[in-house]
Amino acid sequence: QNRRSQSVLKMGARLSVLAAVSLTLVGSGKAFLQSPLMKATQMRKLSQQATSSRRATPALRMALSMPLMAPLPSIEGQLPDCPVTKWSNDNIDIAAEQAKYQKEGIAESLLTITATAEDNAKGLDFFIENKERIMQHMTQNGAVVFKNFDMSKDPEGFRRVWETLEFAPCLDPIHSSGLRSFLSAKDGIYEEVNKKSLAKHYIGLHNESTFKKTATYGAFVCFSPATVSGGEFFIADGAKIFRDLKQEVVEDLYGRGIRISVSNLDLGFLGVLGPMKEKGMDFFKGLVATAVAPKFDMDLDMIYGADGNPDRLQAIEHKQSPINRHPVSGSPVWFCNVHNHARYLRDRRPCSVPEVGMTDVYYGNLEKLPSDTLDHINDVSNKHIQNLAMEPGDVLLIDNYRMLHGRQTFEGDRLHAVSWFRKGDEEVLNVAAPNPLNALINQFIK
């Protein structure tokens, strides 16, 4: 019996590595974010497509007399860490703040700027001339989308656009996990959710944040839309969601707080240990807590049975508020990833994430959220979703504290990317080295 138990424990230790790695595949708001699509062959193809597009654009033919731009210096390994989350959620009067929004109204969140031939002929000068208007709208209203621009059809051009607007790039909130893959490391550009294995997975509304870290701004770019159908990127205004949610629902969640589970590890096989099962469960809990979770730089507790399954170990973030005051305006916004993370909602949508990557949302005391609350949040969130059919070179800028984002399912190949930004005046934090095991495993996830 002892030899059998020792054998099972050894087997469990090996499996624990796989389980721990699986935990890291979830992060704070997305699962399995990396795509193999953008490798050397695809980079060459993208460059050829961009060149062909520019040759076909009269505006760029007009600009051929302009001096060629020197290659940009690499910023690989130089990006500062994602800044800490700015929480300001004490003593919010839900009824008064909702009434204020309803009385004063909320301006249109999204400004659309469509390039003319003359705009494209100006190149980066267009962004210099319009910088004040662009930045003012994004900081006051939430989002700006550039359409029909040729400058941003390749990674270096995309970087030139946001550098011209003087954005300060930073790392992804869970970069230290090693599972946020760069599309172009030298330009500070991450891959978006392009994997074919997740093409049929609906990504709900979320802010790019954890309890500890939040990017201030984001810039999303389309290099190639889905070749068959779908894949639309979408956004929603957190101010409008907060305004339109039932007062009693917001007060209930605000008063009790929420906790987000980011992974499930099912360890029922430990039952073969008999009386040693409890020690085996403690071993796995300790292993994940000490060897894997710290790589995310997230506040996580390892808890068994929160969802009613006593053999399921969940990694659960600390209690947080579903609403937050915007760090600039001071107005409250819906700052919560429940639309994406709630298991109840995921089970009723297209979802291709395996069990280990399934997430859930609880009250602060780990009680389950009632289905009518989740249905209401889903309805209000969906009402405010704006689908954006992005074409090559289209760029979307968002205020990440106000605007939530997500992605529709798709068919075919799709190539979108993103860069994250700090406000620029925060203290620069040290960056933990990525987990090499996670990075290695990521290369084999298709």
Side-chain angles (χ1 to χ4, degrees):
Q1 178 66 33
N2 288 338
R3 285 196 299 270
R4 183 186 180 193
S5 297
Q6 290 172 0
S7 176
V8 170
L9 278 176
K10 289 179 180 179
M11 176 188 70
R14 290 192 296 269
L15 289 174
S16 68
V17 175
L18 296 177
V21 169
S22 297
L23 166 62
T24 67
L25 298 176
V26 181
S28 64
K30 298 176 184 173
F32 306 86
L33 274 182
Q34 294 64 49
S35 165
L37 186 59
M38 193 58 176
K39 304 306 177 187
T41 301
Q42 285 72 23
M43 284 290 282
R44 289 193 295 270
K45 181 179 179 181
L46 176 61
S47 177
Q48 293 166 358
Q49 290 173 343
T51 300
S52 175
S53 174
R54 287 172 177 158
R55 288 172 180 166
T57 305
L60 288 188
R61 289 202 297 268
M62 293 168 58
L64 285 177
S65 59
M66 298 174 61
L68 292 175
M69 290 179 284
L72 293 172
S74 174
I75 56 176
E76 184 173 2
Q78 301 176 34
L79 295 183
D81 200 3
C82 183
V84 298
T85 303
K86 296 179 180 178
W87 287 104
S88 177
N89 56 283
D90 293 334
N91 304 314
I92 297 177
D93 187 330
I94 307 298
E97 295 291 355
Q98 287 184 322
K100 183 179 179 180
Y101 273 137
Q102 291 162 1
K103 179 180 179 181
E104 298 179 357
I106 300 175
E108 172 57 42
S109 314
L110 181 65
L111 170 65
T112 301
I113 300 176
T114 303
T116 63
E118 292 72 22
D119 294 334
N120 272 320
K122 291 180 180 180
L124 293 175
D125 285 342
F126 172 86
F127 298 97
I128 295 173
E129 294 170 5
N130 291 275
K131 175 187 171 185
E132 183 176 351
R133 176 170 71 109
I134 292 168
M135 297 304 296
Q136 182 178 36
H137 183 91
M138 190 184 68
T139 55
Q140 292 182 357
N141 300 73
V144 178
V145 62
F146 305 112
K147 299 188 72 66
N148 200 37
F149 282 86
D150 291 294
M151 176 61 67
S152 45
K153 287 185 175 179
D154 60 61
E156 185 168 295
F158 172 53
R159 174 185 166 188
R160 289 185 190 276
V161 169
W162 54 252
E163 282 194 345
T164 300
L165 295 173
E166 298 185 344
F167 281 104
C170 68
L171 296 174
D172 182 279
I174 63 165
H175 174 86
S176 60
S177 70
L179 289 171
R180 289 295 191 258
S181 178
F182 278 112
L183 178 87
S184 177
K186 73 180 185 65
D187 296 308
I189 302 171
Y190 285 93
E191 296 185 31
E192 237 237 69
V193 189
N194 304 307
K195 284 178 185 268
K196 287 189 175 181
S197 62
L198 288 176
K200 298 302 182 184
H201 175 64
Y202 175 92
I203 300 174
L205 289 169
H206 61 284
N207 304 94
E208 199 70 19
S209 67
T210 70
F211 179 76
K212 293 182 68 174
K213 295 181 181 180
T214 299
T216 307
Y217 307 114
F220 300 86
V221 62
C222 171
F223 292 129
S224 176
T227 54
V228 179
S229 64
E232 293 86 358
F233 194 82
F234 58 77
I235 56 174
D237 189 337
K240 294 178 181 178
I241 293 175
F242 167 76
R243 178 197 63 191
D244 293 346
L245 286 170
K246 293 178 181 177
Q247 177 186 333
E248 59 268 27
V249 169
V250 181
E251 288 179 340
D252 178 52
L253 294 170
Y254 176 61
R256 301 175 67 176
I258 64 164
R259 298 189 69 176
I260 296 175
S261 168
V262 300
S263 186
N264 293 335
L265 299 178
D266 290 333
L267 304 176
F269 66 88
L270 292 178
V272 300
L273 295 176
M276 294 184 64
K277 176 182 176 181
E278 186 174 346
K279 289 185 178 181
M281 294 176 71
D282 289 342
F283 168 76
F284 274 84
K285 180 177 179 179
L287 177 69
V288 175
T290 59
V292 177
K295 286 296 181 181
F296 287 99
D297 196 14
M298 295 169 64
D299 288 327
L300 294 173
D301 291 327
M302 303 302 148
I303 300 174
Y304 280 106
D307 66 348
N309 182 343
D311 295 326
R312 176 169 289 165
L313 178 64
Q314 292 184 305
I316 303 178
E317 284 195 272
H318 288 187
K319 179 181 175 182
Q320 56 192 270
S321 171
I323 56 176
N324 193 19
R325 291 186 180 90
H326 189 275
V328 176
S329 70
S331 298
V333 295
W334 181 250
F335 189 68
C336 180
N337 294 343
V338 64
H339 186 260
N340 183 52
H341 280 16
R343 178 68 181 260
Y344 172 84
L345 297 179
R346 281 193 164 193
D347 285 344
R348 287 156 178 78
R349 297 173 179 154
C351 181
S352 58
V353 173
E355 185 60 48
V356 69
M358 291 299 288
T359 58
D360 211 346
V361 182
Y362 303 97
Y363 283 117
N365 64 357
L366 293 180
E367 290 183 11
K368 290 187 176 181
L369 272 63
S371 59
D372 57 349
T373 291
L374 293 170
D375 285 332
H376 175 61
I377 293 172
N378 188 55
D379 291 342
V380 173
S381 298
N382 290 345
K383 181 178 74 172
H384 290 295
I385 283 178
Q386 294 178 276
N387 284 293
L388 305 176
M390 298 174 72
E391 296 296 329
D394 289 355
V395 174
L396 172 70
L397 305 178
I398 65 165
D399 178 337
N400 189 47
Y401 275 92
R402 175 164 174 174
M403 305 300 294
L404 299 91
H405 62 277
R407 191 220 66 198
Q408 301 287 357
T409 61
F410 67 92
E411 292 186 24
D413 292 329
R414 176 185 186 269
L415 186 58
H416 285 226
V418 61
S419 289
W420 298 110
F421 310 104
R422 308 159 70 242
K423 182 180 178 183
D425 58 359
E426 304 94 338
E427 178 185 358
V428 177
L429 303 176
N430 293 327
V431 181
N435 185 331
L437 177 59
N438 294 352
L440 176 64
I441 294 295
N442 181 60
Q443 301 304 311
F444 297 95
I445 299 173
K446 309 299 182 186

